[in-house]
Amino acid sequence: MTFVPKSTACARRTFGVRGTAAFCAVFASLAPSIALAQQGDRAGETQGELPAEWRVDSSPVRTADEQLATFALPDGYRIELVAAEPLVEAPVVFEFGPDGRLWVVEMRGYMRDADGAGERDPIGRIKVLTDDDGDGRMDRAEIFLDGLVMPRGIALWRDGLLVIEPPHLFFARDTDGDGRADRSELVASGFAGEDNPEHAGNGLLFALDNTFVCSQHPFRFVVDGASLRAEPVSPHGQWGLSEDALGRLYYSPNSDPLLVDLLPKQHAARNPSQRNFEGVPARAARDARVHPSHLTPGVNRGYQRGVLRDGRLAEFTGACSPHVHEGRAMGADMEGCALVCEVAGNLVHRYRLTEEDGRIVATPADDGRSFLTSTDERFRPVHCEAGPDGFIYLADMYRGVIQHRRFMTTFLRTQVEARGLEEPLDAGRIWRIVPDGAAQRRAPNLATADAAALVGFLSHDEKPVRTMARRLLVERREPAAIALLREQLRGTALSRVAAIESLWALAGMGGADDALLAETLRRDDPVLRVHALRVAERSSDTVTLASFLTRAIEDPAHAPRVQAALSAWRLDAPLRAAFLETAIRRDIGSREMRSAVLASARGVERDILDAVVAGRLLAEEGVASRAFAVELADVLLDDGDGLPSPATLAETVSAAARIARERPWLAKAILERVAAKQNLNAKEPRQLVAAAEPAGWGALLDALPADLALASSVDRQLFWPGREDVSFIAPRIARGKELSLEEFGKRLYSNCMSCHQANGRGLPPVYPPLRGSEIVHGDATTLVKIVMHGLEGPIMVDGQRYNQVMPAAPLRTDEEIAAVLTYVRGAWGNAGAPIDTALVSEVREATKGRNKPFTSKELGLHP
């Protein structure tokens, strides 16, 4: 193999100015010298020595051929080298082109030493690898684009390449045919990753619905003709994502190996007042155990109890880049399985996926072992996907240092230096996993395929071929393809998967007419009906869509009914309110339906409340009725900033008063949510201000039933203009010093956003919300202990059980802890008192010598 160099000059991108974020500058100015401690160290925590038998003295750098001998796979599989240095260095993601060439992102600036020196150097590249002789090994590498700073995602589109280089997403093209990008244009900004590459948007997967979706980014990008349109989504995930044949997306955030979106995640962002959205995401894998083939002491917090088992990583800690395999080339044993990379354990784990009552369940597939393991400590599988040949490909960054400097501990740095893990910096491999006995398969060349051939490829056994064919059809928009797809879809010969692919291809070409959608909605397959509704949501006018949804809401299958409620957001307000009323009455026992209704109810929430008061909804007491009452009240009492608008507050309290006689259980459920907004159990409750005296409120208080005694407490913290028996409490205005502390805390909160989110809503069921949290509003000392030392064990927040280990926050001083907690306790409608630096110092002194997280039992938080 030979490396084919080209000039490193690159067309300069002029659409943005890179700069260090304000937080980074503040943090750097406060942090002690690296010689004193690592950024991942926790104050007061002892990083103990490992048992002698768990230690590793050396970690030799291996050539690709030497590394090959370190791998172990179950019987029936083998691993082959596709490319290695110097053809490729530090690969982090790749994508096959329609001509079979491999486009690779090289993140060469990542952790070139334990201090992360040179991270902002423009040395990232995108290469195109070519297998000239068809033997499955790449022979040439050409640089398409260089001069990049920490590039982290690519996607082929039209005649160029979409590239994520934080903070931008741009489109690069080669206009003169020399193989090198010479034109670029800005598509979007706002991508994180300049300061903290571990928690930033990535992915750019071309999804079934013709959108480019990301992991850990608050937008997806919808193909709209020749342009892309940003649309808000729930921003969960971490590094990498995958998709199954039905369009469900999968993520692997560190210690949670496999999450899945059971419903399209854009709907989870549709109503900013909605607290939780059922099924976005949902936990698929409950068993997080992994099985390395060698001792793995070089795990960042390997000194903590339970992280290592017999010297080996016990559970996922660096899960990333899931791959759901949909194809036949790997054999029946692999079909429908999910592979999850574990960079810290030098392995790839496999789960078998099944569907139970509409949920995805992932169970370990390999009987007490991980699917692919290596005894080479530098094997870092960071990206996994199937190629167009149907085999499985892995990007191996081949780095000794994989933990970012922001989180590295002294424990890990000591090992990095002792075993020389900072070298090499110019290595990287791409591997292929194939079944034993499998011959080299030549993938079809879609670059030269005509319209008829591309339509045929939508029925291909391998999902990458189907996806690539659909993208090319959408880009070309050929009338002949539209006619052929319509003809096929009106027949019955297509499989479910081929029919869904064809439907979305047609939709992306602007050819999914209403007559065809009406026919599809009458098909026997409920999954096909769901996708027809999703296409209609995007393409049909509101009158036609309303007719489709009216039929779908009475569908005998549950999934089309839920989708009808999700798609109803496009209807005009009066019609939408009536439709959603029908939907919730039909399926109030379904959590998915309740979430769907509230997502689509933005702007008509008060109409739904009117239906409740009139008795058309929630007429009978029950678990589901009470649950929806709470969920509706929470939406009504959050105007986007965590607090209700005065007008909505008056109407909500009035509603409780008007139904109190006939449905006291319902009035109580609503008033309990008002009380929660008032923080009635806090030392300093919050006064809420209504636009006017709520109708019927005084009459209720004059003859208050015993089971609604809570109304008296609510009333004491309720004010409206003209009220004389309760004094107005002006919002507290912090002194300059306190304000500066809170603003400082807001900047430091960037350490917490990847889990708890910028809006404080968290990512249920993985990471709990801070917005409205009982723990945040509770005992200040408890809160300081959690941030200072971490928390493990189950807790309940807002009725949801959480059981993730929260590490100590990467904050270095008592002032920083006080600042970030002061911000959290006052943001998003929270009304907790500021945290004083002196209190943090007292807690530090009282817990001096503690070297492990607090448990929920110790802090009285165990459910």
Side-chain angles (χ1 to χ4, degrees):
M1 294 183 289
T2 58
F3 177 68
V4 181
K6 282 202 172 183
S7 167
T8 57
C10 174
R12 181 174 300 276
R13 293 172 299 286
T14 60
F15 45 72
V17 178
R18 300 191 191 100
T20 305
F23 163 73
C24 188
V26 172
F27 192 92
S29 68
L30 293 173
S33 167
I34 195 70
L36 298 178
Q38 295 301 123
Q39 291 189 43
D41 291 344
R42 297 169 179 171
E45 182 180 51
T46 300
Q47 299 178 17
E49 293 286 335
L50 296 178
E53 62 272 20
W54 291 10
R55 299 175 195 165
V56 174
D57 296 326
S58 65
S59 181
V61 176
R62 293 177 170 90
T63 66
D65 288 339
E66 291 169 339
Q67 186 187 8
L68 191 60
T70 71
F71 291 118
L73 282 158
D75 292 342
Y77 298 96
R78 71 177 189 272
I79 189 167
E80 305 170 338
L81 183 66
V82 176
E85 66 278 359
L87 283 182
V88 65
E89 299 176 24
V92 293
V93 68
F94 55 75
E95 180 175 337
F96 280 94
D99 58 0
R101 295 189 302 163
L102 189 62
W103 298 68
V104 183
V105 176
E106 295 183 332
M107 193 187 282
R108 299 168 70 223
Y110 182 80
M111 292 305 293
R112 296 181 67 80
D113 61 25
D115 296 326
E119 192 170 77
R120 303 294 300 158
D121 293 347
I123 58 175
R125 301 186 297 207
I126 295 168
K127 283 182 179 173
V128 186
L129 308 186
T130 304
D131 173 12
D132 289 316
D133 55 15
D135 67 349
R137 294 277 291 266
M138 297 298 171
D139 301 298
R140 287 186 293 121
E142 297 175 281
I143 297 174
F144 175 76
L145 189 62
D146 61 3
L148 301 173
V149 177
M150 301 291 276
R152 54 191 300 114
I154 56 171
L156 290 162
W157 184 50
R158 291 168 40 207
D159 60 344
L161 189 72
L162 293 167
V163 180
I164 300 176
E165 182 196 26
H168 303 302
L169 170 66
F170 65 91
F171 182 52
R173 299 167 59 226
D174 167 22
T175 63
D176 58 13
D178 69 348
R180 178 174 294 280
D182 49 50
R183 294 286 187 274
S184 62
E185 60 185 88
L186 180 66
V187 176
S189 293
F191 276 81
E194 293 182 281
D195 303 321
N196 184 356
E198 289 196 22
H199 298 285
N202 60 90
L204 282 184
L205 180 149
F206 187 68
L208 180 62
D209 61 356
N210 305 319
T211 62
F212 289 98
V213 294
C214 298
S215 179
Q216 205 163 270
H217 188 66
F219 294 94
R220 67 174 189 165
F221 300 92
V222 182
V223 173
D224 189 2
S227 62
L228 297 177
R229 171 172 49 84
E231 181 179 28
V233 296
S234 175
H236 48 275
Q238 187 124 1
W239 181 264
L241 75 166
S242 187
E243 182 189 50
D244 65 19
L246 302 185
R248 292 172 294 210
L249 299 174
Y250 294 77
Y251 314 83
S252 297
N254 274 358
S255 57
D256 221 321
L258 201 62
L259 304 179
V260 57
D261 289 339
L262 298 174
L263 296 168
K265 66 177 178 178
Q266 66 270 21
H267 295 291
R270 188 117 14 234
N271 190 338
S273 298
Q274 189 172 10
R275 299 185 70 150
N276 298 311
F277 190 97
E278 184 68 22
V280 180
R283 183 175 286 115
R286 300 285 176 178
D287 190 336
R289 292 174 295 176
V290 293
H291 308 280
S293 57
H294 68 120
L295 295 175
T296 56
V299 175
N300 196 38
R301 302 198 185 276
Y303 55 85
Q304 290 184 347
R305 181 186 63 192
V307 173
L308 302 182
R309 180 182 59 241
D310 298 328
R312 306 177 187 211
L313 183 66
E315 295 188 348
F316 274 105
T317 188
C320 67
S321 190
H323 165 63
V324 176
H325 195 77
E326 301 270 7
R328 296 185 179 178
M330 290 296 297
D333 181 56
M334 185 62 72
E335 194 167 0
C337 285
L339 299 177
V340 181
C341 298
E342 169 49 76
V343 292
N346 319 117
L347 59 86
V348 178
H349 201 68
R350 180 166 64 159
Y351 290 97
R352 203 166 300 282
L353 303 182
T354 56
E355 190 166 347
E356 300 177 9
D357 299 325
R359 315 292 286 189
I360 300 296
V361 178
T363 54
D366 293 295
D367 299 326
R369 62 164 295 166
S370 290
F371 176 70
L372 170 66
T373 60
S374 173
T375 56
D376 190 335
E377 189 171 8
R378 289 175 175 79
F379 173 55
R380 305 295 190 182
V382 295
H383 182 71
C384 179
E385 69 173 70
D389 56 5
F391 298 144
I392 295 170
Y393 289 74
L394 289 169
D396 172 9
M397 203 172 184
Y398 205 74
R399 287 287 179 93
V401 182
I402 201 69
Q403 181 69 62
H404 190 252
R405 60 180 171 79
R406 292 280 298 273
F407 306 98
M408 183 179 288
T409 60
T410 298
F411 170 86
L412 179 57
R413 178 165 185 152
T414 300
Q415 297 186 60
V416 167
E417 295 173 348
R419 295 200 291 279
L421 294 177
E422 290 181 339
E423 298 293 336
L425 295 177
D426 58 356
R429 289 92 196 249
I430 295 174
W431 304 95
R432 177 175 51 238
I433 300 172
V434 301
D436 273 341
Q440 179 66 33
R441 301 183 76 198
R442 194 74 169 179
N445 187 345
L446 273 65
T448 59
D450 60 17
L454 290 177
V455 169
F457 283 131
L458 296 177
S459 299
H460 200 276
D461 287 341
E462 307 302 328
K463 187 176 187 298
V465 175
R466 299 195 301 268
T467 299
M468 198 180 299
R470 175 168 39 81
R471 178 175 64 80
L472 293 173
L473 285 166
V474 169
E475 291 171 2
R476 296 178 186 178
R477 299 173 74 91
E478 296 183 35
I482 292 176
L484 186 55
L485 284 168
R486 285 174 174 169
E487 180 182 350
Q488 285 193 0
L489 281 166
R490 288 193 166 98
T492 58
L494 294 179
S495 68
R496 167 191 279 183
V497 169
I500 293 172
E501 287 277 8
S502 299
L503 181 63
W504 278 110
L506 194 58
M509 300 164 73
D513 59 85
D514 292 334
L516 178 65
L517 292 174
E519 290 180 32
T520 308
L521 287 167
R522 291 192 290 269
R523 294 290 182 90
D524 292 336
D525 186 349
V527 176
L528 190 55
R529 297 199 297 272
V530 165
H531 284 274
L533 289 170
R534 292 175 183 173
V535 171
E537 174 190 328
R538 194 180 295 182
S539 64
S540 298
D541 61 60
T542 55
V543 173
T544 304
L545 179 62
S547 68
F548 290 158
L549 298 185
T550 300
R551 176 187 175 95
I553 203 63
E554 300 298 335
D555 197 292
H558 178 250
R561 298 197 302 269
V562 171
Q563 184 58 50
L566 290 171
S567 299
W569 71 273
R570 278 203 56 216
L571 302 180
D572 295 334
L575 179 58
R576 176 158 42 107
F579 180 84
L580 295 176
E581 183 182 328
T582 299
I584 199 63
R585 192 162 48 240
R586 173 75 167 76
D587 280 296
I588 194 169
S590 164
R591 292 182 177 181
E592 293 84 0
M593 180 59 86
R594 298 200 303 267
S595 285
V597 165
L598 291 175
S600 292
R602 185 180 184 186
V604 298
E605 298 96 335
R606 286 154 72 176
D607 297 274
I608 295 176
L609 180 64
D610 289 343
V612 170
V613 173
R616 299 193 304 271
L617 289 179
L618 310 188
E620 301 293 332
E621 183 176 4
V623 173
S625 294
R626 186 180 296 274
F628 183 68
V630 168
E631 293 157 1
L632 175 61
D634 283 340
V635 168
L636 288 163
L637 295 170
D638 187 339
D639 198 33
D641 62 355
L643 293 174
S645 70
T648 302
L649 175 63
E651 290 196 20
T652 303
V653 174
S654 175
R658 293 162 64 188
I659 61 179
R661 303 301 176 196
E662 295 183 357
R663 288 173 283 172
W665 61 271
L666 182 54
K668 183 178 180 181
I670 294 173
L671 290 177
E672 284 174 345
R673 304 317 298 162
V674 176
K677 288 291 180 183
Q678 294 173 320
N679 298 324
L680 289 188
N681 294 324
K683 184 177 180 180
E684 295 184 24
R686 176 199 288 122
Q687 185 182 79
L688 297 182
V689 179
E693 180 178 0
W697 184 242
L700 172 64
L701 295 173
D702 289 342
L704 195 60
D707 52 358
L708 286 178
L710 175 65
S712 294
S713 300
V714 168
D715 183 62
R716 286 192 290 271
Q717 298 298 329
L718 198 60
F719 182 81
W720 53 83
R723 184 169 189 180
E724 297 180 352
D725 59 327
V726 171
S727 299
F728 174 67
I729 301 174
R732 180 170 46 213
I733 300 176
R735 296 194 302 269
K737 182 179 179 181
E738 292 174 338
L739 182 61
S740 64
L741 184 70
E742 186 170 353
E743 287 297 312
F744 181 41
K746 185 175 182 178
R747 294 177 178 179
L748 292 173
Y749 181 71
S750 62
N751 288 280
C752 317
M753 285 196 299
S754 61
C755 296
H756 298 293
Q757 299 298 296
N759 60 11
R761 293 188 183 277
L763 291 173
V766 185
Y767 304 119
L770 303 179
R771 184 178 189 152
S773 164
E774 309 93 303
I775 297 175
V776 169
H777 283 106
D779 178 59
T781 299
T782 297
L783 199 57
V784 172
K785 288 179 178 178
I786 293 172
V787 172
M788 185 178 292
H789 296 289
L791 177 69
E792 62 183 15
I795 59 173
M796 294 290 291
V797 178
D798 195 27
Q800 172 78 51
R801 183 184 178 93
Y802 296 86
N803 198 14
Q804 282 276 7
V805 175
M806 175 185 161
L811 304 171
R812 309 189 66 80
T813 68
D814 293 351
E815 182 188 29
E816 290 178 23
I817 293 176
V820 79
L821 289 179
T822 295
Y823 168 70
V824 167
R825 282 163 68 93
W828 321 298
N830 290 343
I835 300 291
D836 190 73
T837 301
L839 173 64
V840 180
S841 301
E842 291 173 9
V843 173
R844 189 179 298 283
E845 179 64 26
T847 60
K848 184 169 58 177
R850 187 177 186 93
N851 59 6
K852 60 183 180 180
F854 280 94
T855 67
S856 55
K857 284 187 177 179
E858 286 180 287
L859 298 180
L861 302 176
H862 195 281

